[in-house]
Amino acid sequence: MRRLRRFFRTPEAIAGALILGLLVAMALAAPLLFPGDPQAIAGPALLPPFQDWSLPLGTDRLGRDMLAELFHGARTSLAVGLAAAAAALLIGAVVGTLAGFAGGLIDEVLMRISDAFQTVPSFLLALAFVSIVGPSLGVVVAAITLGVWTGPARVARAEVLSIRERDYVAGARVIGMHPLEIAFREVLPNALPPVLALSSVIVAAAILTEAALSFLGLGDPNRVTWGGMIAEGRAVLRTAPYLSIVPGIALVLAVLGVYLAGEGVVESTAVRRSLP
Amino acid sequence: MTRALALLRRRLVGSVFVLLIVVIGSFLLLEAAPGDAVDAYIVSTGGDAGMIELLRHRWGLDQSELTRLANYLWALLHLDLGQSVTFSQPIRNVILDRLPTTLILMGSATALSFGFGSALGIYAGARPGSFRDRFLSIGSLALYAVPGFWLGLVLIVVFAVDLRWLPIGGIETIASAKTGLARATDVAIHLVLPVSALGFIYLALYLRMMRAGMAEAWRQDFVLAARARGLPRRRIVLAHVARNALLPLVTMLGLQSAQMLGGSVVIESVFAVPGLGRLAQEAVAGRDTPLLLGIILVSAVLVVAINLLVDLAYAFLDPRVGASEAGT
């Protein structure tokens, strides 16, 4: 409770929580409010917003309901963002713990692999991966994960390097625990907090990368995505710019909400208070 | 000087290993792709099926994986990236053709974001907690959430379609036969929107880093000492606080170069800028996997080179770096 109250102290954190709440509500409500295929034709093509109250945000080039697409797009963005972040944190924590705890050659090899992933532009890697394996939601998540797991791996390794010298780790060794058991049951859980602090940045990056991939036509073709909607509206940018602008605003708000909420969490848990 | 050389030598050795891993990774991706070079060749030339086995044998594609990896590495050592099917040209030539445009785009975007970002960061960080600090912090966070490709489209709608101040895309006026300064001006005008779309997110990043670094530096003892000595505030801000906050930004210049290369893929496609990023998209559209992997390899080399340069610059700026390694 106290932590919750501390979180809601700053206006930024409140705004972030509100935006995130709205996003989650949109994602959950999408199949209830707009059952059926959001990519089906719902009315006349290129209906401007606020003209027909059954289609409040109007329709796109093919007469699809923009509001329904926006709601279903929230679902895709959120799903990809959360799944990619969860996968990246898991892989990063495991690799970082192994590297930091084992040391020596294993550490060297794992860290050089992580360097290699950081050297290749992650968006190019995602592009190549999706274009080779073929676009589907799982592949997009995997492609994004490839580019973001190195951050958590580095943070976890640095944390593990300091934890493995602690007395309780020596104690676990003395009572004869298997090194892997020590690494994953004693060290990893204690190294997690700074790794988890990265999650908002990773979710935001994943949402943005997914949008950029779909914008280039490499999203899951069977799902509505905000990036795909922006690309769709681009063909009529001169006459109907709102088709690209509206989903873009949704994207900006979603990412901003993730950042603000993340900052709120970090600030409410940080020992250091804001400036004197 | 020996300090910088020792640092350079150590980084170069590390880079070779990293690039080797990138090469092996891209070889594995190439293997995972459906079809091989012979399939692509037959499709593009419409040759007869009887030649397939012969070609596979001649190009060494019927050998074991390890032999093929060795052949791949051997070719790369000779700077041979293979043949592009979509362009019917050596991949190296296609990439070298497009590279300068992307470098100009990235260089300008970096200069813009670093210059304005650090300046605004100093302005915000000079008085932590003030109104302008909070305003710039929130503003930069909002800007940081804006995807570059969408910002590009909005800029096109406002400045190219509505106001007609700037061209909608491309790198220069087609068939204008301009030369010298006139051509450079033409290119610069075409680059205003793409550079802004690519650079604004990094402007926000540098602003935030500078601001955070300065907020940290204000708490340090040497700032207190400078205040106690009665130095003018302006001098404390610039020479003591900002100077110490600037160093992490220099490191960031290298770290974000990979990210910016990735960002330029989408920006170049929005503005039809014929650079490396647009080439990557063309490679995806043409299912030209060897070309795509060639672009990835060249990007990796570029990122390594930029980071080496940044490390060297850092060693010159900060006398503490590498001081302990000079003897090794």
Side-chain angles (χ1 to χ4, degrees):
Chain A
M1 236 5 246
R2 249 182 64 213
R3 174 160 296 180
L4 212 62
R5 205 172 311 141
R6 228 194 281 164
F7 173 78
F8 284 112
R9 245 178 12 148
T10 61
E12 287 95 331
I14 295 173
L18 280 178
I19 296 172
L20 269 192
L22 185 70
L23 188 68
V24 173
M26 276 174 80
L28 292 176
L32 303 173
L33 290 177
F34 304 98
D37 185 5
Q39 291 179 309
I41 290 166
L46 289 173
L47 182 73
F50 314 123
Q51 302 278 317
D52 178 349
W53 285 109
S54 65
L55 299 163
L57 283 184
T59 59
D60 70 1
R61 230 155 34 111
L62 299 172
R64 297 180 291 206
D65 183 355
M66 283 290 282
L67 191 64
E69 286 198 284
L70 211 57
F71 268 67
H72 281 269
R75 227 172 145 74
T76 316
S77 277
L78 207 60
V80 170
L82 292 178
L89 290 174
L90 184 74
I91 297 174
V94 169
V95 171
T97 306
L98 278 180
F101 197 71
L105 190 66
I106 297 178
D107 182 27
E108 192 65 26
V109 170
L110 287 176
M111 283 302 107
R112 287 297 86 77
I113 291 177
S114 147
D115 281 346
F117 272 94
Q118 281 184 320
T119 303
V120 173
S122 52
F123 187 72
L124 269 178
L125 183 61
L127 199 73
F129 190 78
V130 174
S131 88
I132 286 172
V133 185
S136 74
L137 207 60
V139 172
V140 169
V141 169
I144 295 171
T145 309
L146 282 180
V148 287
W149 66 272
T150 53
R154 272 172 195 279
V155 173
R157 175 177 174 272
E159 201 64 18
V160 165
L161 282 180
S162 85
I163 289 177
R164 69 170 189 184
E165 306 300 332
R166 306 251 169 100
D167 286 343
Y168 64 82
V169 177
R173 273 210 190 90
V174 168
I175 62 169
M177 270 171 90
H178 191 273
L180 276 178
E181 201 182 349
I182 303 176
F184 288 106
R185 283 189 50 188
E186 302 289 328
V187 176
L188 179 60
N190 289 299
L192 271 184
V195 179
L196 291 179
L198 292 175
S199 40
S200 72
V201 180
I202 294 180
V203 171
I207 290 178
L208 287 175
T209 309
E210 190 278 329
L213 280 174
S214 335
F215 178 72
L216 291 183
L218 285 168
D220 187 331
N222 300 315
R223 276 175 180 271
V224 182
T225 61
W226 289 340
M229 290 171 76
I230 296 173
E232 186 41 52
R234 200 182 154 192
V236 284
L237 198 61
R238 280 169 191 276
T239 49
Y242 56 87
L243 287 180
S244 284
I245 289 177
V246 170
I249 291 173
L251 196 53
V252 173
L253 281 178
V255 174
L256 192 60
V258 172
Y259 279 142
L260 288 173
E263 289 231 322
V265 171
V266 169
E267 257 188 35
S268 68
T269 51
V271 187
R272 201 181 63 216
R273 293 264 65 87
S274 53
L275 286 163
Chain B
M1 201 57 216
T2 44
R3 193 163 55 85
L5 278 179
L7 184 78
L8 188 66
R9 198 179 56 203
R10 210 167 56 89
R11 288 291 150 86
L12 267 176
V13 174
S15 306
V16 169
F17 278 106
V18 166
L19 285 177
L20 191 66
I21 296 173
V22 173
V23 168
I24 293 175
S26 82
F27 174 76
L28 291 176
L29 268 177
L30 194 61
E31 291 284 305
D36 60 12
V38 172
D39 293 327
Y41 178 77
I42 296 291
V43 167
S44 71
T45 58
D48 67 302
M51 278 170 64
I52 290 179
E53 284 313 309
L54 185 72
L55 273 175
R56 280 223 166 101
H57 180 68
R58 192 181 297 162
W59 290 358
L61 292 172
D62 53 354
Q63 284 161 323
S64 74
E65 295 226 332
L66 267 180
T67 324
R68 270 178 296 155
L69 177 59
N71 289 342
Y72 186 66
L73 280 171
W74 186 244
L76 285 180
L77 274 180
H78 294 86
L79 301 179
D80 174 14
L81 292 166
Q83 186 81 8
S84 161
V85 182
T86 31
F87 291 87
S88 326
Q89 267 186 58
I91 289 173
R92 186 184 54 194
N93 299 0
V94 182
I95 289 179
L96 284 180
D97 222 34
R98 303 290 194 96
L99 194 57
T101 309
T102 295
L103 289 181
I104 292 174
L105 180 65
M106 274 179 67
S108 316
T110 306
L112 169 103
S113 54
F114 193 83
F116 284 98
S118 53
L120 284 171
I122 293 174
Y123 183 65
R127 289 190 188 277
S130 63
F131 170 74
R132 70 187 195 204
D133 177 34
R134 284 189 75 76
F135 176 78
L136 282 173
S137 293
I138 295 180
S140 62
L141 192 68
L143 189 59
Y144 199 55
V146 176
F149 65 92
W150 180 72
L151 181 63
L153 289 179
V154 173
L155 291 176
I156 286 180
V157 169
V158 175
F159 293 102
V161 176
D162 281 354
L163 296 172
R164 293 175 182 278
W165 286 354
L166 292 161
I168 201 161
I171 185 74
E172 57 185 322
T173 313
I174 296 163
S176 61
K178 284 177 180 158
T179 50
L181 197 61
R183 185 169 175 220
T185 320
D186 189 39
V187 170
I189 288 173
H190 277 81
L191 277 176
V192 171
L193 292 184
V195 164
S196 308
L198 182 61
F200 269 171
I201 190 165
Y202 299 102
L203 191 158
L205 176 73
Y206 290 127
L207 196 167
R208 292 185 71 72
M209 277 190 78
M210 191 73 195
R211 199 219 141 255
M214 284 181 76
E216 193 79 39
W218 276 112
R219 276 190 286 265
Q220 305 279 323
D221 288 342
F222 64 82
V223 175
L224 192 65
R227 271 170 153 170
R229 265 160 42 219
L231 292 182
R233 190 177 169 87
R234 193 184 179 76
R235 196 174 146 71
I236 298 178
V237 167
L238 291 178
H240 294 262
V241 179
R243 201 176 156 190
N244 274 279
L246 194 65
L247 280 173
L249 266 75
V250 176
T251 319
M252 202 34 139
L253 269 180
L255 291 180
Q256 55 81 15
S257 60
Q259 228 193 330
M260 200 182 242
L261 254 174
S264 69
V265 176
V266 217
I267 298 296
E268 285 178 12
S269 125
V270 167
F271 289 97
V273 174
L276 207 56
R278 178 135 180 96
L279 186 65
Q281 214 218 333
E282 285 163 10
V284 169
R287 302 216 131 269
D288 195 341
T289 312
L291 176 58
L292 193 53
L293 292 174
I295 295 170
I296 287 184
L297 287 179
V298 170
S299 310
V301 172
L302 202 60
V303 170
V304 165
I306 292 173
N307 276 293
L308 274 175
L309 283 178
V310 169
D311 280 344
L312 279 181
Y314 200 101
F316 281 112
L317 286 174
D318 188 346
R320 287 167 301 187
V321 172
S324 57
E325 295 161 2
T328 58

